[in-house]
Amino acid sequence: MIRTKKSIFLSLILNLIISISLANTSNSNDSIPLDANIRYGKLPNGLTYYIKPIDNPGAGLNIRLVVKAGIKQEKDGELDFAHITEHLGFVAGKNISRKKSTHLFDEAGVRLSQLNGFTAGNYTDYFVQVSDNNEKGISLTLKFFKDILWNLELNEKSIDLERITVFDETNGGVFNLGIHSFHLEQQITGWGAEIPEDFEKHIKTFDHEKLIEFYKRWYRPDLMAIVIVGNIDNIDKVEKEINEKFDKKKEPGNPVDPTVDQMNYLDKTPQFYKKELQGDNDYLIYKPIHLNFYFRQNINIKDQSNNGLKDQLIRNLFIELLNKKYLQVLQQYNTFSAIRAEFLNPPAALKLEIVPMEGLKKDYIDTALKTLKGIKQYGFSTEDFNLGKAEYLNSIRQSDTLSLSYWKSQIINHFVYGEALPENKEQLQERILQNLEKEEFHNAIKNYIKDKPEDISIVAYKGDPALKNPEKKIKNWINEISNETVEKPDRPEKKLSLMDTVQTNALEKTSVKVLETEITGAKSYQLKNGLRIILKDSQNHSSGKGAGENKIVFQGFSQHGIKCFPQEDYFSALNATEITRNSGVGKLNKFELERYLDRYRFKGFVSPYIENDAAGIKANIALKDIETALQLVYLYFTSPNFNTTAFEDWKTYQKIYIAYQNYPVENFESNIREVLPDNDFKPKGRKFIEGLAYTDLNRAKEIFNQIFNDAENFTFLFSGDFNEEEVLNLCRKYLGNLPVTSEYSRCISKSEESLVLPVESKTFHSVASLNSTMVKMVYVKESNISSMDWQEEIKLILLNHIMKESLMRRLRFKSEEGGTYEVTPGLNIVNSHNYIEIPIGFNSDPKDVERLIGEVQNFIEELKSSPVEISFFEKLKKTQLNDKISYGLALAKMLRHSKDNYPWLDKEERNAFINSLHPNDIQETANNYLSNKPIIFKMLPKENK
């Protein structure tokens, strides 16, 4: 890269500034000043504000109200109060809310999805996204925040409505192991409320006055910040508006200290907690255990000095290296356990999470503690330290300082946790890490590592032997392990190679022929073996990633998929690509491949896949890794691994994962597909687990080879920011030498019958715990899919957006009776059986089901009888006019054109059609596709026998 004198001069000046900053902050008591490019202030009433302009046209403005109260500030008896209060912030405003002001948000161009909130551990975050130069949107958002602060109409009725939605959102209190483990952590630390035995009773009956007290205690200006990040033309004007709108006098008394309980934790006596999960878990084949160890730390969490920033970097690097070490020691097939480390936030303890999948055994604890003890005694290897540091440095360099999310996170961490946020923070971090030596690092991390944890928690399913006197057993094991010596690790590690020089040198660049393509800005080629390539290099794409690293995505596909094989081979075909991914390629098994890619800092993925009507390989990588990625493609085609050990390991893991999946939802979806067939749907839940018995390793291998041994059937599509000639030459070398066979070139699949209406509604019962009723209303229209044009599809997509926002308004935000947290309309074009379905899904209390079904049907009738309001329609129409398109979306568009013969549309033609649409067009579309009576599916709790 050619550097100008000006760029060299600027680089020298920047380094000088950083050096001065480091010199001025060498004293640990010297606080690093806040980035001067952020307009920062505090009103007399204590309200803090941050205004950060960034030069990123089209990114819009992100406006947030941050409250220093989250899950960890709740007291016993207040479980989910922070969450419910966050909900009330959107619907209980006296002047501006989702309930009363939808027309105002429509006029300001703010979609429902751009107005949201989040309850975190130590804060609650309300956020609104508005477009560039949207003064109306900014002003409306600040009025909305003002209501949240001072004008919420909190009463028994409004609170009762949000009880229902939070109960639905939290899955009716059916929590998995991880959530119960988190609640035990709250008991150990004192950070948050203890979970009651009867969660449903608590949510539905707590005293509403107690929640109002919670709001008054925490929702005060001296515990809040307004954060505005984005393309801001006039900072002074925005700052003035904040001062004018939020100039109310200071609240009486001093605010509660959000961190007081967090410091008290360190003074507690050592604790041991256990939790037995009640309820029906007979459907689980394996029942994991969650065991947590807490090693308390005495860390200054608000040290904004240079040393504080350095300590934070050391902690982060330590956790990255430690978790990699645990992955390494557990990297063997049929070892079903996991160990993960993290610092609590704030970092008052180092936590080790141990998850045995096959019962509680000393071996797991031995591995966890001896690994930690060995690191304290001998440190990380020079290779591991250097690789870890280089990877961390690279992640800092790739920080996208023009993104809204980057600055949002940085500012929230400064406000809530007191983290340093200096000017040129990334360069400061980079310089600190570059100067960090291995010896200094190891001396620092020794302070974090103790022989024994102070606090322990264990969560297991009902009836697990691990819960019988676990405290004595576990502490005895810990004492035994702490007295054992740890030998210095012997590192005669196998030298790993993906493809050696003999292999790569043997591959010569094959001939290439130029082809025609309708894809604008792309070039198409055919290699000697018949494989086709389409390259679309576009500088105008937005990768959405960190600045400075070019990305490339590609996908190779063949139209030989699951449908090409007999029905008895269905599950062998379905699982063939996952089996080989778990086995590895070439001379490397899965774990060796992971270590090889990690060592060379390979970022992204290269993964084979199979679908009903296609199979191939998908990749999303850094451009620097393109040759490695194509070597992986070459090996998946020529040397895929299939072995019994890896196969059994893969099958067992599928059965283990049931405990962490939403089993009722997956079973519900699979049951519906038995009534409404869709060959593109892959079985989930119980259907998938049953299919493991019909998955044959040898047949899966034959199917995989049959598809991937014929390069002539494949087309590879590339999208990103790359040099076309370089990528083409690598394709000629690796893709051009892929094998060709005519033995299995034909795909013979039977044609499916079209769906015949009417289809009867049906009710199912869950085999897993379920505290609500799941509903899916499906509007179906028989259609000749091949005759649908692109204009019709765009109208269907717009109809779907209208239904989504309108139903959420009606059934949740404007409802006087409530009943559901989320309504999810969809659109599914079922090519295999010639029909189009528009499903509408929601969960609710059984008593509300029929009322909500009726409200949905009433809305559909209104949608068909009259057009939607023009301001609402124009707002949603703009969502389809995005001028920026990511590499991934560009690739998806190329795939649809190349695989499904979908017409290639230039942006101008598509946008012109969208701009021509009127609400009457969508009304006509609604009448066309929502005319049939909906098929109603329900999933109820398990039947009592």
Side-chain angles (χ1 to χ4, degrees), residues 107 215 222 266 321 390 399 684 707 833 855 887 919 940 942:
E107 291 168 3
Y215 168 77
D222 42 16
L266 299 177
L321 290 174
S399 298
K684 302 177 182 179
I707 294 172
H833 291 80
E855 288 189 27
Y887 299 146
L940 307 181
K942 187 175 183 179

Side-chain angles (χ1 to χ4, degrees), residues 571-827:
F571 282 100
S572 297
L574 174 69
N575 295 319
T577 53
E578 290 302 305
I579 293 169
T580 192
R581 284 185 62 215
N582 199 60
S583 302
V585 292
K587 299 176 182 178
L588 306 181
N589 65 32
K590 176 182 74 171
F591 305 115
E592 291 168 337
L593 179 58
E594 288 172 355
R595 288 202 297 273
Y596 173 86
L597 296 175
D598 184 60
R599 181 173 298 166
Y600 291 97
R601 302 207 301 274
F602 181 93
K603 292 296 181 185
F605 68 86
V606 177
S607 178
Y609 72 94
I610 189 167
E611 297 170 347
N612 178 60
D613 61 350
I617 289 186
K618 300 177 182 179
N620 186 331
I621 58 167
L623 184 59
K624 68 178 180 62
D625 297 320
I626 181 64
E627 183 160 12
T628 302
L630 290 174
Q631 287 180 356
L632 275 169
V633 171
Y634 180 82
L635 291 173
Y636 272 122
F637 272 76
T638 61
S639 304
N641 290 344
F642 287 86
N643 66 76
T644 303
T645 301
F647 177 58
E648 294 302 323
D649 173 269
W650 173 80
K651 285 200 298 183
T652 302
Y653 263 113
Q654 306 314 306
K655 298 170 185 177
I656 288 171
Y657 287 154
I658 298 172
Y660 299 96
Q661 295 166 335
N662 194 329
Y663 207 55
V665 170
E666 293 191 346
N667 286 337
F668 191 35
E669 291 175 356
S670 292
N671 289 342
I672 289 172
R673 286 302 153 212
E674 291 188 353
V675 181
L676 288 177
D678 177 3
N679 289 0
D680 291 329
F681 177 81
K682 295 183 178 181
K684 302 177 182 179
R686 181 172 55 86
K687 297 294 182 185
F688 176 77
I689 297 301
E690 289 173 354
L692 295 176
Y694 301 97
T695 304
D696 180 80
L697 175 62
N698 291 327
R699 188 65 186 121
K701 180 180 179 180
E702 291 171 0
I703 290 168
F704 186 94
N705 288 333
Q706 184 171 331
I707 294 172
F708 287 88
N709 277 353
D710 201 351
E712 188 176 16
N713 289 327
F714 278 82
T715 299
F716 272 75
L717 312 169
F718 293 80
S719 172
D721 184 9
F722 55 85
N723 181 288
E724 181 191 317
E725 185 177 356
E726 290 178 4
V727 173
L728 178 59
N729 284 333
L730 288 171
C731 289
R732 291 170 63 191
K733 179 173 183 176
Y734 293 105
L735 302 186
N737 283 288
L738 294 179
V740 178
T741 177
S742 59
E743 185 178 355
Y744 304 113
S745 60
R746 295 184 62 200
C747 172
I748 302 173
S749 61
K750 66 173 185 178
S751 58
E752 299 286 355
E753 294 182 358
S754 297
L755 181 73
V756 178
L757 295 177
V759 174
E760 294 297 321
S761 298
K762 196 164 185 178
T763 297
F764 313 100
H765 288 86
S766 176
V767 297
S769 295
L770 181 65
N771 282 353
S772 61
T773 298
M774 292 190 291
V775 178
K776 185 156 286 189
M777 305 170 61
V778 186
Y779 287 85
V780 176
K781 176 179 175 60
E782 299 160 292
S783 177
N784 182 1
I785 305 299
S786 60
S787 65
M788 177 182 287
D789 57 29
W790 60 269
Q791 293 98 333
E792 188 74 2
E793 187 170 337
I794 286 175
K795 288 190 285 186
L796 276 167
I797 291 170
L798 266 173
L799 171 64
N800 200 255
H801 282 288
I802 290 167
M803 291 173 62
K804 168 71 175 176
E805 188 152 337
S806 300
L807 284 168
M808 283 293 290
R809 290 179 180 183
R810 177 178 287 224
L811 270 65
R812 180 175 168 193
F813 299 117
K814 291 187 176 183
S815 173
E816 294 300 320
E817 297 178 83
T820 188
Y821 167 67
E822 187 174 26
V823 189
T824 54
L827 171 64

Side-chain angles (χ1 to χ4, degrees), residues 923-936:
Q923 180 187 358
E924 181 183 344
T925 303
N927 277 286
N928 191 17
Y929 291 94
L930 300 172
S931 57
N932 290 326
K933 181 180 177 182
I935 307 162
I936 300 175

Side-chain angles (χ1 to χ4, degrees), residues 196-365:
E197 286 299 322
D198 191 336
F199 176 80
E200 181 175 2
K201 181 180 179 182
H202 162 70
I203 288 293
K204 293 183 176 179
T205 64
F206 67 76
D207 184 351
H208 71 279
E209 292 292 345
K210 297 289 185 184
L211 186 134
I212 295 173
E213 290 174 14
F214 179 89
Y215 168 77
K216 290 179 178 179
R217 187 190 323 141
W218 293 106
Y219 278 60
R220 42 186 294 155
D222 42 16
L223 291 173
M224 292 180 162
I226 290 174
V227 180
I228 303 180
V229 178
N231 290 290
I232 304 168
D233 289 337
N234 191 330
I235 296 179
D236 292 336
K237 183 178 180 180
V238 174
E239 184 179 32
K240 182 182 178 183
E241 189 169 2
I242 291 173
N243 277 271
E244 290 174 348
K245 280 189 167 64
F246 296 91
D247 65 347
K248 192 173 179 179
K249 67 180 181 179
K250 180 177 172 62
E251 299 281 339
N254 293 319
V256 180
D257 182 357
T259 65
V260 64
D261 289 335
Q262 296 170 359
M263 296 301 97
N264 291 340
Y265 162 56
L266 299 177
D267 298 325
K268 288 187 172 187
T269 57
Q271 303 158 94
F272 187 100
Y273 283 93
K274 68 176 182 179
K275 175 73 176 181
E276 182 178 58
L277 266 62
Q278 303 298 319
D280 185 3
N281 54 59
D282 292 341
Y283 69 95
L284 295 176
I285 303 168
Y286 292 88
K287 298 176 182 178
I289 297 167
H290 275 230
L291 176 65
N292 289 336
F293 291 163
Y294 298 86
F295 304 83
R296 297 183 191 176
Q297 310 289 321
N298 192 8
I299 296 172
N300 182 358
I301 62 172
K302 292 196 175 182
D303 184 355
Q304 293 194 18
S305 69
N306 183 63
N307 282 348
L309 184 59
K310 183 176 184 177
D311 289 343
Q312 184 185 36
L313 292 170
I314 288 173
R315 287 197 301 273
N316 293 345
L317 180 57
F318 170 54
I319 290 299
E320 287 298 315
L321 290 174
L322 179 56
N323 283 325
K324 280 191 177 181
K325 178 63 69 175
Y326 281 130
L327 284 175
Q328 289 171 9
V329 298
L330 294 173
Q331 279 189 335
Q332 50 185 312
Y333 287 113
N334 297 300
T335 299
F336 305 111
S337 62
I339 305 172
R340 181 165 178 79
E342 65 176 342
F343 282 102
L344 301 188
N345 194 4
L350 171 65
K351 169 185 170 183
L352 286 189
E353 183 179 31
I354 306 167
V355 185
M357 307 294 182
E358 297 179 294
L360 183 62
K361 299 175 184 176
K362 181 184 176 182
D363 291 350
Y364 303 129
I365 299 173

Side-chain angles (χ1 to χ4, degrees), residues 165-176 199 662 664-665 769-772 774 843:
T165 57
V166 167
F167 184 69
D168 181 20
E169 184 182 0
T170 53
N171 200 25
V174 179
F175 301 132
N176 63 28
F199 176 80
N662 194 329
V665 170
S769 295
L770 181 65
N771 282 353
S772 61
M774 292 190 291
N843 291 7

